[in-house]
Amino acid sequence: MLGLGDKHTNSLTMDQPVPSSLLDTGAQNIISKPLPRYEGAKKVSGTARYSAEFTAENMAYGVLVGVGHGSGTVTGVDADAIRGLPGVIDVVTDFKSFLRNAGQGGETKAPTQGVEEVAYFGQFVAIVLGETYEAARGAALQLPLTVEPAEGRFDFDALKGETDTPPPNNIPAHYTQGDLDRAMAEAPLTFDATYTTPSQNSAAMEPHASLAYWDEGKLTIYGSYQIPTKDAIALAKALGVSQKNVRIVAEYVGGGFGSKLGISPESAAAAIASRQLGRPIKCVMLRQQVFDGTVRRSNTEQRVRLAAEADGTLVGIGHETLCANLPDEDFFEPAGIGTHSLYKGEHRVITHDLVRVNLTLSGSMRAPGEAVGMLAIESAMDEFAEQLGIDPIELRRRNDPDKDPEKGVPFSSRQLTRCLEVGAERFGWSKRQPKATRRDGEWWVGLGVAAATRNNLLEKNAAKARLNAAGHLFVETAMTDIGTGSYTVLAQIAGEVMGLPFERITVKLGDSESPESSGSGGSWGACGSGSAVYLACEEIRNQLAKKLGVDPDAMTLKDGMAIAENRSTPIGDLAGEGIEATGEINPGKQKDAVTQASYGAHFAEVAVNAVTGEVRVRRMLGVFAAGRILNRQTARSQCLGGLTFGIGAALTEELIHDVRNGKAVNHDLAEYHVPVNADVPQLEIEFLEERDVHSNPLHAKGIGELGISGAGAAIANAVYNACGVRVRDFPLTLDKILPHLPADLPSA
Amino acid sequence: MHFTINGQAYDADLDIRTSLLDLCREHLGLTGSKKGCDHGQCGACTMLVNGRRINSCLTLAVMHQDDEIVTIEGLGTPENLHPMQDAFVRHDGYQCGYCTPGQICSAVGMLDEVKKGWPSHVSGDLTSAALSDEEISERMSGNICRCSAYPNIVDAISEVAGLTPAEREVAGA
């Protein structure tokens, strides 16, 4: 087997901790460095190509047509009415195979199909094909659809008495420990309040897009997707073709935030139309269609109960939640996921129940669970601290458990209290005044804090690395970079293990035909794909040592040279015709042996206008501990994004459904208010030093969603501190604040 | 129809309904300008037309046959970046990169507006606009970045504008 062009594999299942990492012993010293992005020059020059920017010979344009009813049966698609329009090629409908709902994150089964029955307003029933985009779009707007309307379920508030309990997803829908009711009855201090959060949309800047073509029975889709490996399998099933006959390419993805985890309806529509027409079809969703027909974060109603001893130590914690989804979809917003292990409390009830509605599919949006669950829990902790008359940081410190309060196992690493303390010092928390006592002109000013936690997940991932004779390393995995920094951190991991500078590494991502990857989602991307790259490079490293006849530990790799026994050899020379290795990481017993999560603390200073109730965020600080930080700059940027999603969730983002037909009335970027530049002050991010030997060989944990988890609660708590108005119904728009504002400063 | 884009002449046979953005993306292979909303709401399609920043999705190509159009491709190339592009890379003024060409074109156009003395909503003095972080944030609020690189975008622009730390902190009215 020795010789040129060797191929090797290196597989690791996380059944036990990995006590030492090559990232700590590497000599290249590029891991964790704030290096500019690998693909930076391409992105800023407009030469990075996103899905809709590929083209194919004889390509036609497809525009989807959604139905203008929220429930009923499609009885007619009058294609003849538009077929004669200039430039229109055809109208394609497939009542059986079109996707009714987008796919859920991580699914490999086909999404719900069949579009004759209307499950929600805007559901796509046809694709209009044109020689130009203008012809297709113009005709799509005129396509007559007839629908036999039916009664639908559109009003969450009216229907919330009728619920069902969904099957588990990453947590069970219901969890009970001890007797919370009794704890609430007997504890000296209790709290019981209900919070609500609205529907939200990921609103990634790039609309969902697929360019589909068939070549000898094989489908290729340039598609804006987060998980090409699984999405290709799901699409193959939806189309009834073999998995090897579907390829998804997603070299660059213009943001996802969960909305592109699963395949969305344009993929199947473009593929079916392309097969029928015998031409490549490009279909890009209109922005309104992204809101109408992909996926939303469900609205929630969350009851929080806390029971404590006189000193504030929790003996009971309840987090009972309602969310909504379509009748045949069991995904529930896991609002209580963070609550399972965040605080002490022997008596616990954490539940999730579903209200069935005819509204756009509910699915994953950035930090499913924590993002909205922590709005409630961390607001409640703030309210409870006020009730107890202790500092909210002190209340959290007293309730920071030393082991998982449900499973009884240790935490892999946990610096929650440390994050709060470091943040308090840096933010000037000690200067926080009692509520409604600080004024700056016509603004009430206040400070707020909240904890951050986000579950750490590891999924199966593989990667291939190949070192050539020139000493250049090629890394390949079906992972994606959706703005997360995957290209960059994978190059840094490979560079550190292989002793290669950035410019001698090529990273290829976003192709379902590359080694399988969990893709980008759930904050698992960097750790999973990074571990696979690490293992592939470790194996190449071992092979280089073998060729030198030394122990790998006795060899140093730096700047393309292998240094051992006082000799320095170019690694390209050792590679001969190339060394190729596949790395594979699998989750194992560590998943249950320890509880793994990233932690942090959010601090916010806000100003509330005493006249209008307008809230402005003046400054924010996030302190985070998430194991090894792979690139301090891209990790910081992820956290900036998380905090900003928190600003949106706290103050502006609300997808409003018409209760008569379920239509998302504010389905565009002018009416659905994501934060803009002027809404976001200079945000500060600090990372605490940490290594997590239980998580993976990188000793890193997920960070992409940590920044949003709790961020909005810090803002809501700051609003309360500023003006004394507690709003439990997110977002905190001024109409909810204005009627309750104090008349003015209390007299001294 | 005839166009001048990035100093280069183009001919195109277009449907009269074609937007300036779709002309570039679908007919000329200039895909650097992005389509985020097609309604002038997000700014991803921002181009410079006769030196002024505009939402190219909101204007028809046919109206611009006599104009000088500059897209992101005309500002710089990967090998030879414009100072604003370079600053965006160094300050990580992007993540997914989809809004980025629009942000950069917008920033270049915006600095020129300030140079001409155009005030903004937050300008304290309507006759002599001076740049600050607050002014940059206000003037760049037509360009949405969902990844939220806003603080880094402001850093990049203020560096290109040559602002001192003290100048950056000046508040408006």
Side-chain angles (χ1 to χ4, degrees):
Chain A
M1 286 296 288
L2 281 177
L4 305 175
D6 292 344
K7 292 186 179 179
H8 308 271
T9 58
N10 187 15
S11 177
L12 175 67
T13 298
M14 286 303 295
D15 284 333
Q16 51 203 16
V18 178
S20 70
S21 174
L22 291 169
L23 299 182
D24 284 313
T25 53
Q28 196 62 31
N29 201 23
I30 60 170
I31 197 68
S32 303
K33 291 285 184 295
L35 299 182
R37 283 173 205 259
Y38 173 89
E39 76 287 12
K42 284 186 179 175
K43 281 182 173 170
V44 299
S45 62
T47 52
R49 277 210 288 177
Y50 298 79
S51 296
E53 293 160 8
F54 287 83
T55 189
E57 200 180 335
N58 201 27
M59 184 178 83
Y61 291 82
V63 173
L64 295 168
V65 181
V67 68
H69 292 269
S71 184
T73 306
V74 180
T75 53
V77 177
D78 188 3
D80 288 341
I82 63 167
R83 275 205 181 101
L85 293 172
V88 172
I89 301 165
D90 205 351
V91 178
V92 171
T93 58
D94 185 332
F95 278 171
K96 186 167 154 284
S97 301
F98 270 29
L99 305 187
R100 182 193 301 169
N101 305 337
Q104 290 290 0
E107 276 297 345
T108 51
K109 65 178 194 218
T112 304
Q113 290 173 277
V115 296
E116 191 171 8
E117 298 304 317
V118 179
Y120 59 92
F121 193 103
Q123 175 186 310
F124 304 116
V125 297
I127 183 168
V128 176
L129 308 170
E131 295 294 346
T132 63
Y133 172 66
E134 291 72 30
R137 181 162 181 268
L141 291 170
Q142 299 173 55
L143 179 65
L145 298 177
T146 45
V147 174
E148 180 65 42
E151 287 291 307
R153 299 169 63 84
F154 307 117
D155 187 348
F156 178 89
D157 285 328
L159 296 166
K160 70 185 184 188
E162 307 163 27
T163 62
D164 59 79
T165 301
N169 54 33
N170 46 5
I171 52 169
H174 282 210
Y175 178 83
T176 304
Q177 174 179 311
D179 186 346
L180 181 64
D181 287 336
R182 194 167 147 199
M184 289 294 290
E186 293 176 357
L189 297 162
T190 60
F191 175 84
D192 185 347
T194 297
Y195 300 82
T196 52
T197 66
S199 276
Q200 297 176 336
N201 186 277
S202 293
M205 295 309 294
E206 180 201 21
H208 294 58
S210 287
L211 162 57
Y213 64 87
W214 296 82
D215 186 10
E216 293 181 358
K218 180 173 175 177
L219 172 69
T220 299
I221 290 229
Y222 287 87
S224 187
Y225 288 114
Q226 297 178 226
I227 315 180
T229 300
K230 291 178 176 171
D231 294 334
I233 296 170
L235 185 56
K237 288 181 185 162
L239 298 172
V241 300
S242 136
Q243 287 174 25
K244 68 177 191 322
N245 280 337
V246 175
R247 177 186 182 200
I248 291 181
V249 180
E251 199 177 336
Y252 294 100
V253 177
F257 315 110
S259 69
K260 298 168 181 171
L261 288 168
I263 55 172
S264 43
E266 94 294 341
S267 61
I272 290 165
S274 174
R275 185 162 55 187
Q276 203 161 312
L277 213 67
R279 293 175 66 174
I281 301 292
K282 179 158 85 179
C283 179
V284 183
M285 283 196 192
L286 312 182
R287 173 56 61 184
Q288 291 78 2
Q289 294 178 333
V290 174
F291 280 89
D292 292 345
T294 61
V295 63
R296 69 187 174 105
R297 190 204 297 282
S298 174
N299 59 306
T300 68
E301 182 172 302
Q302 307 177 44
R303 181 186 186 192
V304 178
R305 286 188 285 168
L306 303 171
E309 305 287 4
D311 67 354
T313 306
L314 290 172
V315 292
I317 187 164
H319 195 178
E320 293 152 286
T321 71
L322 294 181
C323 59
N325 214 340
L326 288 157
D328 48 3
E329 293 281 348
D330 286 336
F331 173 90
F332 62 87
E333 178 71 28
I337 191 169
T339 314
H340 280 291
S341 55
L342 190 55
Y343 297 123
K344 288 177 186 171
E346 187 189 335
H347 305 283
R348 311 173 76 85
V349 174
I350 298 169
T351 64
H352 306 82
D353 288 295
L354 268 178
V355 178
R356 298 299 180 173
V357 292
N358 293 111
L359 298 175
T360 305
L361 176 72
S362 297
S364 296
M365 176 170 150
R366 197 172 199 171
E370 289 94 336
V372 289
M374 294 188 75
L375 292 177
I377 284 291
E378 290 303 289
S379 292
M381 287 297 276
D382 200 69
E383 293 198 51
F384 202 38
E386 168 100 3
Q387 185 183 320
L388 269 60
I390 64 173
D391 185 279
I393 292 178
E394 180 57 29
L395 178 64
R396 290 176 174 88
R397 182 190 290 119
R398 289 179 192 176
N399 287 294
D400 190 356
D402 54 10
K403 61 180 187 204
D404 187 302
E406 293 175 8
K407 297 173 186 160
V409 299
F411 293 103
S412 62
S413 54
R414 177 175 168 122
Q415 297 195 66
L416 173 60
T417 294
R418 182 80 188 127
C419 288
L420 288 161
E421 289 169 350
V422 168
E425 175 69 26
R426 181 161 165 180
F427 201 68
W429 182 252
S430 62
K431 297 197 185 75
R432 178 173 175 261
Q433 296 180 189
K435 69 179 181 190
T437 58
R438 186 175 157 201
R439 274 288 280 267
D440 178 4
E442 65 181 42
W443 299 88
W444 297 100
V445 180
L447 305 185
V449 68
T453 182
R454 172 68 186 161
N455 205 20
N456 186 60
L457 301 164
L458 179 67
E459 302 267 315
K460 181 178 181 183
N461 270 272
K464 197 161 67 181
R466 181 176 179 84
L467 181 69
N468 73 8
H472 194 96
L473 187 75
F474 297 85
V475 174
E476 181 184 344
T477 161
M479 175 62 182
T480 46
D481 190 326
I482 62 172
T484 39
S486 313
Y487 281 108
T488 312
V489 299
L490 294 182
Q492 284 177 277
I493 291 164
E496 195 63 53
V497 176
M498 291 296 301
L500 284 171
F502 220 46
E503 55 276 12
R504 285 173 67 174
I505 298 164
T506 298
V507 181
K508 179 179 185 287
L509 300 180
D511 187 335
S512 63
E513 296 194 338
S514 295
E516 74 169 282
S517 173
S518 58
S520 302
S523 297
W524 60 53
C527 292
S529 64
S531 294
V533 168
Y534 173 101
L535 293 166
C537 292
E538 180 184 53
E539 182 58 25
I540 294 179
R541 195 176 179 278
N542 290 343
Q543 294 302 322
L544 291 173
K546 209 168 182 179
K547 293 191 183 226
L548 282 173
V550 299
D551 188 273
D553 292 340
M555 175 183 73
T556 300
L557 299 179
K558 189 171 191 314
D559 292 329
M561 305 297 285
I563 304 148
E565 296 177 339
N566 294 325
R567 278 184 304 144
S568 189
T569 315
I571 59 173
D573 292 357
L574 296 171
E577 286 186 8
I579 304 174
E580 184 176 302
T582 298
E584 187 182 294
I585 185 90
N586 292 289
K589 293 175 187 157
Q590 283 296 301
K591 187 167 162 278
D592 299 316
V594 289
T595 292
Q596 300 181 27
S598 301
Y599 293 93
H602 293 283
F603 292 82
E605 178 177 311
V606 306
V608 182
N609 191 285
V611 180
T612 66
E614 177 189 8
V615 179
R616 303 296 297 168
V617 178
R618 289 193 161 184
R619 60 191 181 103
M620 283 183 84
L621 164 68
V623 180
F624 302 110
R628 186 195 310 275
I629 301 302
L630 300 171
N631 177 316
R632 279 193 292 276
Q633 180 157 266
T634 56
R636 175 177 174 273
S637 290
Q638 284 273 284
C639 294
L640 294 179
L643 265 61
T644 305
F645 263 69
I647 294 173
L651 301 178
T652 59
E653 288 184 40
E654 178 175 18
L655 188 61
I656 297 165
H657 304 279
D658 188 327
V659 294
R660 296 167 303 177
N661 58 15
K663 179 181 179 175
V665 294
N666 54 342
H667 58 172
D668 62 38
L669 294 173
E671 301 293 333
Y672 181 83
H673 293 155
V674 304
V676 298
N677 201 317
D679 296 322
V680 181
Q682 285 294 320
L683 308 171
E684 286 185 275
I685 306 294
E686 182 165 335
F687 296 115
L688 299 189
E689 204 50 38
E690 190 175 89
R691 298 284 186 269
D692 195 313
V693 297
H694 299 280
S695 57
N696 53 60
L698 312 177
H699 296 170
K701 292 184 290 191
I703 197 152
E705 299 168 315
L706 182 60
I708 184 177
S709 303
I715 294 167
N717 296 340
V719 167
Y720 177 78
N721 179 244
C723 65
V725 180
R726 173 65 64 179
V727 180
R728 291 173 178 157
D729 176 29
F730 286 86
L732 281 61
T733 45
L734 48 79
D735 53 300
K736 298 172 191 168
I737 295 172
L738 188 58
H740 311 290
L741 282 174
D744 211 330
L745 281 174
S747 49
Chain B
M1 294 184 222
H2 311 284
F3 301 95
T4 308
I5 303 175
N6 303 327
Q8 197 176 324
Y10 291 93
D11 285 326
D13 183 15
L14 297 180
D15 186 313
I16 203 75
R17 296 168 288 184
T18 307
S19 69
L20 178 57
L21 176 62
D22 286 328
L23 162 71
C24 290
R25 284 175 63 83
E26 305 299 340
H27 297 267
L28 306 181
L30 295 169
T31 55
S33 307
K34 306 304 183 197
K35 184 185 281 189
C37 68
D38 220 11
H39 279 60
Q41 299 169 346
C42 77
C45 64
T46 305
M47 295 179 189
L48 299 166
V49 175
N50 300 328
R52 283 181 60 178
R53 51 178 174 160
I54 65 164
N55 289 323
S56 65
C57 72
L58 280 189
T59 192
L60 296 172
V62 65
M63 298 158 66
H64 297 282
Q65 297 190 76
D66 299 319
D67 291 334
E68 290 289 333
I69 297 158
V70 175
T71 68
I72 190 70
E73 291 93 341
L75 285 182
T77 61
E79 298 74 30
N80 184 24
L81 296 176
H82 182 280
M84 190 66 78
Q85 293 171 320
D86 183 57
F88 267 64
V89 172
R90 283 183 292 101
H91 289 279
D92 214 36
Y94 55 6
Q95 290 182 44
C96 78
Y98 198 76
C99 74
T100 312
Q103 298 276 358
I104 291 171
C105 286
S106 187
V108 169
M110 183 272 287
L111 291 184
D112 191 54
E113 291 163 12
V114 174
K115 204 185 280 177
K116 289 175 179 156
W118 296 8
S120 82
H121 174 70
V122 299
S123 300
D125 181 343
L126 296 184
T127 59
S128 63
L131 214 50
S132 64
D133 278 5
E134 187 185 10
E135 284 277 2
I136 292 173
S137 287
E138 172 65 25
R139 290 166 187 263
M140 290 299 294
S141 282
N143 291 85
I144 295 174
C145 171
R146 184 55 155 164
C147 301
S148 197
Y150 298 130
N152 294 345
I153 290 169
V154 173
D155 284 348
I157 296 172
S158 73
E159 182 194 282
V160 173
L163 297 190
T164 65
E167 286 168 336
R168 290 186 61 174
E169 282 177 24
V170 172

